[in-house]
């Protein structure tokens, strides 16, 4: 998976499919960690550290690259902290088609 191999790369672009497949992986991983945490709290804490932290970091870097694909700066990611409206704006940006050909963040895909 490209998101994990580029876990701290904030340059370049990420396609819609790459972003949403990784989002699906995150949901599945968090569900598994949640079920394990219900069964055993110490194991759940370890899994949160071992799995959760890298997934969060990779998710942020992938979100920034997804914004780059729509020709927006990665600083737009911070708008997600505005309750309700920020999340909706980010969702729209993540759903938009990427720019065709080169943009200011990278050459054509």
């Amino acid at each position: 998976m490209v998101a994990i191999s580029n876990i701290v790369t904030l340059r370049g672009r990420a396609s819609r499919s790459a972003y949403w497949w990784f989002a699906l992986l995150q949901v599945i991983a968090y569900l598994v960690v949640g079920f394990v945490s219900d069964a055993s709290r110490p194991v759940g804490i370890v899994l949160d550290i071992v799995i959760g932290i890298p997934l969060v970091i990779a998710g942020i870097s992938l979100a920034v690259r997804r914004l780059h694909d729509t020709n927006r700066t990665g600083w737009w990611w911070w708008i997600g902290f505005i309750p309700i409206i920020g999340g909706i704006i980010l969702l729209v940006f993540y759903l938009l088609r990427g720019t065709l050909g080169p943009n200011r963040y990278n050459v054509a895909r």
Side-chain angles (χ1 to χ4, degrees):
M1 181 159 271
V2 177
I4 298 297
S5 65
N6 295 327
I7 193 165
V8 292
T9 303
L10 298 175
R11 292 189 177 141
R13 296 163 68 173
S15 66
R16 277 189 292 192
S17 64
Y19 178 81
W20 290 110
W21 279 112
F22 184 75
L24 178 64
L25 171 77
Q26 279 183 310
V27 168
I28 293 168
Y30 292 142
L31 285 173
V32 169
V33 170
F35 287 130
V36 171
S37 293
D38 289 343
S40 172
R41 186 171 299 268
V43 175
I45 291 171
V46 170
L47 285 178
D48 275 338
I49 293 169
V50 172
I51 294 174
I53 292 174
L55 281 179
V56 167
I57 294 169
I60 292 170
S61 66
L62 189 62
V64 167
R65 291 194 312 271
R66 178 72 199 123
L67 289 167
H68 287 174
D69 192 43
T70 62
N71 208 22
R72 288 176 178 76
T73 179
W75 289 102
W76 275 102
W77 179 81
W78 291 98
I79 202 169
F81 286 102
I82 298 173
I84 301 170
I85 307 249
I88 292 170
I89 291 171
L90 275 180
L91 179 64
V92 169
F93 287 167
Y94 296 151
L95 290 172
L96 288 175
R97 183 179 186 189
T99 54
L100 297 176
N103 69 13
R104 61 183 168 163
Y105 296 102
N106 202 356
V107 295
R109 290 187 282 137

